[in-house]
Amino acid sequence: MRNLILALLSVIILAGCSKQQQDTTQNIVVATFNMRYDNPDDSMNNWQYRKERVAQFIIDQNIDIVGTQELLQNQVDDLKALLPDFDMVGVARDNGKDEGEYAAIFFRRDRFEVLDSNNFWLCENPDSVGMKGWDAACTRIATWAKLKDKTNDKIFMAVNTHFDHVGEVARRESALLIISKIKEIVGDHLHSSPATSMLTTPATPTPPSPATNLCSTTRAAWPTLWKVLTTLGTTSARNLPTNARASTSFSPLRASRCSRCLSRKKIPRPS
């Protein structure tokens, strides 16, 4: 299945430094998932033959938050129906409503409460709906949500996007823009909580290109902001089947490491 799973990990949200606070540590399972837009030319790999498996995978893996890429409106509607325990935030990139691809965030309704959410475009004027940025081939959007974990009342920011597949300048500038937006939105809470924000995104093409390696890009812009928690195949990833890794086609033989789940500051690896 094309782009079925790009990254999956447990993010440990730390309440603070004291022993009492550390006792409230909770795991959050986060995934980034390029689901491939509904393309009739995909034949037997078309969305209509994949949608139930996609939804069941999210359920079976007990994913709490999933950043999606490439979903069209009918696919969003399908997932809403197939994932009744999840809520969603996001808009389509072409008109800010329902035209074009989403970078939607799905999350468990019983675990998280949305305090605020919005979208911005990866371009020189991020409030310009449908605008292409820099040397990008396509319009690109980022969706964010301020979520409260109902298990411990901790608040954090989740950001999801899909970087351009052509524009090297666009990818770098998009990373810098996202950093700026996180600083702007999170504000004074940025330095008071070890895991104030997380980002899910495919980072194509594969590293180590500086423009697509988010760790390199963000270090240059804001030293020590990000710690790459995992890419499938590293020791910090959950123990998944050997064929469950990032793929850029419907064949697992073409699997590669092209995605990132990132979180602010160093977070202990899950056991």
Side-chain angles (χ1 to χ4, degrees):
M1 182 181 297
R2 176 176 175 133
N3 298 324
L4 191 147
I5 175 171
L6 297 182
L8 181 63
L9 68 155
S10 292
V11 175
I12 302 176
I13 303 297
L14 298 181
C17 296
S18 71
K19 184 179 185 300
Q20 180 180 3
Q21 287 175 316
Q22 288 178 356
D23 289 341
T24 66
T25 296
Q26 298 289 334
N27 287 342
I28 299 177
V29 181
V30 181
T32 174
F33 199 155
N34 187 324
M35 298 184 180
R36 171 70 170 174
Y37 72 97
D38 187 359
N39 185 346
D41 292 338
D42 287 341
S43 185
M44 294 304 295
N45 290 313
N46 181 262
W47 174 250
Q48 65 176 313
Y49 304 114
R50 296 185 287 115
K51 57 186 179 182
E52 286 85 3
R53 283 183 290 162
V54 167
Q56 195 60 49
F57 175 83
I58 293 171
I59 294 169
D60 290 345
Q61 294 297 324
N62 296 313
I63 296 173
D64 296 307
I65 301 171
V66 55
T68 68
Q69 295 86 31
E70 293 198 14
L71 292 179
L72 301 177
Q73 184 63 54
N74 67 300
Q75 295 173 285
V76 169
D77 293 339
D78 286 340
L79 283 182
K80 285 181 176 179
L82 292 166
L83 298 171
D85 295 329
F86 283 73
D87 279 339
M88 185 276 288
V89 295
V91 297
R93 69 189 188 187
D94 289 354
N95 67 351
K97 296 177 182 179
D98 55 6
E99 294 181 5
E101 297 178 5
Y102 281 71
I105 301 173
F106 284 78
F107 56 92
R108 291 188 178 275
R109 184 183 305 109
D110 63 345
R111 176 79 185 268
F112 304 103
E113 176 187 350
V114 180
L115 303 181
D116 196 7
S117 67
N118 212 325
N119 312 270
F120 58 90
W121 277 258
L122 305 185
C123 62
E124 294 87 339
N125 300 301
D127 293 328
S128 299
V129 176
M131 181 178 178
K132 292 182 184 179
W134 303 284
D135 58 347
C138 301
T139 300
R140 300 291 179 175
I141 192 172
T143 293
W144 63 267
K146 273 188 181 180
L147 300 175
K148 182 172 78 171
D149 189 338
K150 296 178 183 179
T151 67
N152 55 21
D153 291 332
K154 297 304 171 184
I155 298 171
F156 62 95
M157 179 180 178
V159 188
N160 181 56
T161 192
H162 190 184
F163 282 5
D164 197 69
H165 63 299
V166 173
E168 185 76 19
V169 174
R171 288 192 291 269
R172 175 176 173 80
E173 293 300 323
S174 294
L176 298 177
L177 174 62
I178 289 171
I179 295 168
S180 176
K181 283 291 186 179
I182 290 174
K183 292 171 67 176
E184 173 188 326
I185 296 165
V186 175
D188 293 339
H189 298 287
L190 184 61
H191 299 291
S192 61
S193 174
T196 306
S197 50
M198 63 177 67
L199 168 66
T200 52
T201 177
T204 52
T206 43
S209 170
T212 59
N213 184 330
L214 288 180
C215 192
S216 295
T217 302
T218 53
R219 278 179 186 159
W222 192 4
T224 72
L225 172 63
W226 296 111
K227 168 67 178 176
V228 177
L229 294 182
T230 186
T231 309
L232 280 185
T234 65
T235 57
S236 58
R238 177 191 286 185
N239 292 326
L240 294 171
T242 56
N243 64 344
R245 62 181 66 182
S247 177
T248 56
S249 73
F250 290 112
S251 171
L253 298 178
R254 293 183 58 185
S256 61
R257 299 178 182 179
C258 62
S259 303
R260 296 289 185 271
C261 289
L262 303 102
S263 179
R264 180 181 168 270
K265 292 192 177 181
K266 183 176 182 179
I267 297 177
R269 291 177 177 178
S271 58

